Amino acid sequence: MTVNDAHALRVVVLISGSGSNLQALIDGVATDDLPIEIAAVISNRPDVLGLSRAANAGIPTRVLDHKGFASREAFDQELMRTIDSYTPGLIVLAGFMRILTPEFTQHYLGRMLNIHPSLLPKFQGLHTHQRAIDAGETRHGVTVHFVTAELDGGPAIVQAIVPVIKNDDATLLAKRVQRQEHVIYPLAVKWFAQGDLRMLDGKAELKGELLPACGYQIEANEP
Ligand code: GRF
């Protein structure tokens, strides 16, 4: 599907950094695998690589630097105004490193996704790879979930599981997890765009069936 297809789901992607997950979505659109139009990419940090990735793909970019706002509420209000000016059907948080206000999460309830690098509900918050190693986990991974007011707490959609290997450090493990991020985020976005995925009564539903609390699980078959 081309980016100008009138029927494609309009998506706004929020980033704060490198944008490798954004790139996976851009690549999915370019290869006609993803029936979406990335209407805009918005970053809360200037000069990040993700903005160049978007610009290279011809996607409109905006920078909304949170440092210029007096409060979290003021920033989120302006962010909502900016997002809504693109009339998206889906908001994708792709490494967007901000805690969101309840007004913001409520406004996009059921149409905002996040990716978190752990097998939620384990390891909410930061430094997930090191924490998984320190806890002696043998399995680790990544979760795509609907965003609710609870940080990293909304209903899970899909999880990819990778092994934790002896002598792993956080960098090695992060790379193994990130390869799976780039598989499952486009997959979840595709499900949503096709109308197969929705949030219902605080739970994720895929193709008419409620998903388990861990979401749809994929065991990654690479080391
Ligand atoms: C990813 O590891 C994602 O799981 C987390 O932030 C990171 C973003 O990476 N939420 P990138 O900006 O997509 O490369």
Side-chain angles (χ1 to χ4, degrees):
M1 190 161 301
T2 69
V3 285
N4 291 320
D5 192 309
H7 302 295
L9 177 77
R10 288 173 65 77
V11 175
V12 167
V13 183
L14 305 189
I15 61 166
S16 299
S18 107
S20 68
N21 281 285
L22 164 67
Q23 188 67 55
L25 297 176
I26 291 171
D27 294 346
V29 174
T31 54
D32 276 353
D33 276 342
L34 263 183
I36 65 170
E37 174 188 350
I38 304 177
V41 169
I42 304 173
S43 174
N44 67 313
R45 294 200 183 118
D47 305 322
V48 293
L49 177 58
L51 287 167
S52 312
R53 294 182 194 268
N56 288 342
I59 299 167
T61 60
R62 300 283 289 269
V63 174
L64 213 56
D65 191 339
H66 60 277
K67 294 196 197 99
F69 291 81
S71 66
R72 190 174 294 283
E73 286 71 22
F75 174 76
D76 276 11
Q77 287 296 327
E78 185 57 26
L79 183 56
M80 269 190 265
R81 269 194 291 276
T82 308
I83 293 170
D84 290 348
S85 71
Y86 294 98
T87 60
L90 180 68
I91 321 304
V92 170
L93 308 184
F96 186 58
M97 303 301 284
R98 294 282 305 168
I99 291 173
L100 305 166
T101 57
E103 290 73 19
F104 188 90
T105 56
Q106 184 60 38
H107 185 61
Y108 298 112
L109 197 63
R111 53 190 182 110
M112 181 158 63
L113 308 183
N114 183 41
I115 190 159
H116 180 77
S118 78
L119 298 175
L120 289 171
K122 284 186 174 175
F123 309 119
Q124 294 166 329
L126 298 174
H127 311 301
T128 56
H129 309 303
Q130 189 59 54
R131 287 161 62 205
I133 291 169
D134 292 346
E137 299 285 339
T138 56
R139 287 146 58 93
H140 182 49
V142 54
T143 306
V144 176
H145 64 94
F146 281 107
V147 176
T148 62
E150 192 194 341
L151 182 67
D152 301 329
I157 297 160
V158 54
Q159 288 189 327
I161 302 168
V162 303
V164 181
I165 297 169
K166 199 170 175 303
N167 298 331
D168 257 348
D169 60 24
T171 308
L172 270 175
L173 184 53
K175 281 192 180 144
R176 193 174 307 125
V177 169
Q178 273 228 322
R179 284 195 289 275
Q180 298 309 316
E181 296 187 7
H182 304 154
V183 175
I184 67 168
Y185 218 176
L187 178 64
V189 170
K190 185 175 185 175
W191 285 339
F192 191 93
Q194 288 174 339
D196 289 336
L197 173 69
R198 62 176 178 158
M199 189 172 128
L200 193 68
D201 298 332
K203 297 200 166 74
E205 190 190 82
L206 181 63
K207 298 180 184 171
E209 288 188 27
L210 280 186
L211 286 165
C214 58
Y216 183 94
Q217 282 193 319
I218 296 170
E219 196 97 30
N221 55 11
E222 61 145 344

